[in-house]
Amino acid sequence: MTHPPTRTYWLEHAWLDTHVEPGVAVEVADGAITAVRTDVPAPPPGAEILRGLTMPGLANAHSHAFHRALRGTVQVGSGTFWTWREVMYAVADKLTPQTYHALARAVYAEMALAGVTSVGEFHYVHHAPGGARYADPNAMGEALIEAAADAGIRITLLDTAYLSSGFGQPPTAHQLRFSDGDAEAWAERCSVLKERDHVRIGAAIHSVRAVPADQLETVARWADERRAPLHVHLSEQTAENDACREAHGCTPTQLLALHGVLGPRTTGVHNTHLTAEDVSLIGGSGTGTCMCPTTERDLADGIGPAVALQNEGSPLCLGSDSHAVIDLLEEARAMELDERLRTRTRGHWTAATLLRAASADGHAALGWQQAGAIEAGALADLTTIALDSVRTAGPLPRLGAETAVFAASAADVRHTVVGGRHVVRDGAHTLVPDVPQALAQAVDALRG
Ligand SMILES: [Zn+2]
């Protein structure tokens, strides 16, 4: 990522973590914020003007880019998570480094248009169909890294260990391209991946189904040695809990705790079907929780105990996961609204808390500790929401956070700035000229 030179942004309204501040000047140099001045009622000469509500850039903490090709297709008829997975595998079978690059570039461009400045890509399609290695064994991961660069956003490549189809079962034919054979081989391949200006390398355990218990520690140690983020799909389905109890006599959370996987750099994704003890183990260890409510709704997973988890000390972040939609504001809104339906009471999360989950805490879960704030020293990642669209016009600007979370959508994102670079300007992507066409072509290439 090349950074533009020093510049000044003038924010008509800025979300400063606790309140909306009118008229804020933000100085940026080398991709980072060097100064923030309030009480600046008019744009300084030469400043880039961001009209609307500017907040720290959004972090999409859980993505499988290729699932975007399933949009619409998997909404036909009924089915379960497990029938959905068969359709997903059929698409995964068709990916090559070239087609995956084209699709991910378009998907990450869609994310930029939705205000996302960092994505956590939970990546497990490592090898060719059948499991043959590409000339570069990291060709697929590199395709994703390049796609993020082309779309102008940051990526944390959560390189995922996926070694078995279930407890004590080898990978199925579809899953052979996900597997490195064992965790040592996974670690050896991942160790070659290099961090770059826009890239962090993290680890993932696909699930307790997909990594044998005696190999969990290898993955956890690899992440620990690098102080890298470690993510894991956790108790998304009750069937996983039942199979884990049968194989190991404990819950997936207990199994992870036993093998040293939980901790402050670890994030459990979904954390849906948990016991009270699981909630204590996750919260007490400082393990994060990534909720993906639009996907969890779509797959009829259930509503996880997010409020209890946060109360026990588990920070919340958000992801669009299967990309049924890509809209972090919708994910944030769903947290509160789903909880209202479940409990028939209101006020579980404030807009401020949900924006923190969609930004600072999401970035922290992806290893971007300096992102997610409009303050000196932070990365110059900004997302501006229009306050004059049909959805957002009317409320007072000081209610900008409530308006953004409870009424706005991705369509209201007007500007996305990543490291001081304008990636989305006035609702148009500056690097990918026609994002809908890029999506249509990339998805079409995987059809048939
Ligand atoms: Zn996922």
Side-chain angles (χ1 to χ4, degrees):
M1 199 178 285
T2 51
H3 300 297
T6 307
R7 66 172 48 162
T8 303
Y9 290 90
W10 181 75
L11 284 43
E12 186 186 23
H13 302 282
W15 174 247
L16 299 182
D17 196 48
T18 53
H19 68 287
V20 175
E21 185 77 29
V24 172
V26 174
E27 311 288 346
V28 171
D30 294 328
I33 296 172
T34 54
V36 175
R37 288 182 289 127
T38 54
D39 288 321
V40 186
E48 287 259 15
I49 298 169
L50 303 180
R51 276 203 198 281
L53 177 73
T54 299
M55 52 182 79
L58 303 178
N60 190 355
H62 190 67
S63 161
H64 308 282
F66 76 93
H67 292 190
R68 176 63 176 79
L70 303 172
R71 193 178 289 182
T73 308
V74 286
Q75 309 302 354
V76 178
S78 54
T80 66
F81 171 90
W82 305 102
T83 56
W84 169 88
R85 195 175 72 156
E86 289 307 309
V87 181
M88 183 267 281
Y89 282 165
V91 172
D93 274 348
K94 300 204 185 79
L95 295 168
T96 66
Q98 291 73 32
T99 58
Y100 206 5
H101 170 264
L103 178 61
R105 169 180 172 269
V107 173
Y108 296 156
E110 180 182 355
M111 286 186 197
L113 288 170
V116 171
T117 55
S118 298
V119 62
E121 181 65 35
F122 197 106
H123 165 57
Y124 55 84
V125 188
H126 301 304
H127 307 297
R133 274 39 178 172
Y134 291 109
D136 172 2
N138 284 309
M140 294 294 263
E142 291 292 347
L144 293 164
I145 287 171
E146 193 185 324
D150 292 347
I153 68 171
R154 301 179 197 280
I155 185 170
T156 297
L157 189 74
L158 298 160
D159 197 297
T160 305
Y162 196 131
L163 308 169
S164 55
S165 67
F167 297 92
Q169 291 161 11
T172 64
H174 286 304
Q175 295 163 344
L176 284 172
R177 68 181 310 191
F178 309 162
S179 177
D180 292 291
D182 60 34
E184 289 296 338
W186 165 87
E188 199 177 312
R189 180 179 54 70
C190 289
S191 299
V192 178
L193 288 161
K194 294 276 178 292
E195 297 204 327
R196 280 148 256 187
D197 204 17
H198 78 292
V199 183
R200 293 277 175 278
I201 305 296
I205 290 164
H206 179 276
S207 56
V208 292
R209 285 177 278 129
V211 177
D214 61 358
Q215 299 185 52
L216 290 169
E217 281 177 47
T218 305
V219 183
R221 201 179 324 116
W222 186 94
D224 206 43
E225 282 167 6
R226 288 159 181 77
R227 308 191 66 75
L230 171 60
H231 288 217
V232 53
H233 287 134
L234 182 54
S235 290
E236 180 178 9
Q237 294 288 322
T238 52
E240 172 177 296
N241 289 4
D242 297 344
C244 188
R245 280 187 192 282
E246 195 170 315
H248 295 290
C250 64
T251 66
T253 301
Q254 288 172 318
L255 192 67
L256 295 178
L258 193 65
H259 291 279
V261 174
L262 302 184
R265 278 190 312 280
T266 300
T267 298
V269 181
H270 303 302
N271 294 359
T272 310
H273 301 286
L274 303 180
T275 65
E277 192 198 334
D278 292 343
V279 172
S280 299
L281 281 171
I282 292 168
S285 60
T287 302
T289 293
C290 182
M291 291 287 176
C292 309
T294 65
T295 292
E296 290 150 8
R297 283 175 184 170
D298 185 48
L299 296 177
D301 288 342
I303 303 171
V307 173
L309 282 161
Q310 191 160 60
N311 289 342
E312 292 275 336
S314 177
L316 174 72
C317 60
L318 302 169
S320 63
D321 189 4
S322 69
H323 312 314
V325 297
I326 294 177
D327 187 341
L328 267 283
L329 299 172
E330 174 63 31
E331 303 293 344
R333 172 159 63 239
M335 292 306 301
E336 168 65 17
L337 298 188
D338 289 356
E339 204 62 29
R340 288 184 189 179
L341 284 175
R342 196 170 68 80
T343 61
R344 291 187 289 157
T345 58
R346 306 174 87 224
H348 307 276
W349 312 86
T350 63
T353 311
L354 291 169
L355 286 181
R356 213 166 293 139
S359 181
D361 289 346
H363 282 103
L366 297 177
W368 297 100
Q369 268 74 12
Q370 324 86 313
I374 300 178
E375 62 185 32
L379 293 170
D381 294 3
L382 306 169
T383 296
T384 306
I385 308 284
L387 293 180
D388 56 2
S389 78
V390 286
R391 286 165 294 276
T392 60
L396 292 168
R398 70 178 168 79
L399 299 176
E402 286 76 12
T403 306
V405 170
F406 290 102
S409 79
D412 297 311
V413 171
R414 186 173 278 164
H415 302 286
T416 306
V417 174
V418 184
R421 179 194 207 186
H422 234 109
V423 174
V424 172
R425 187 188 294 278
D426 294 319
H429 204 290
T430 61
L431 305 172
V432 180
D434 187 340
V435 178
Q437 189 192 41
L439 283 163
Q441 284 178 348
V443 172
D444 194 52
L446 297 170
R447 220 170 253 136

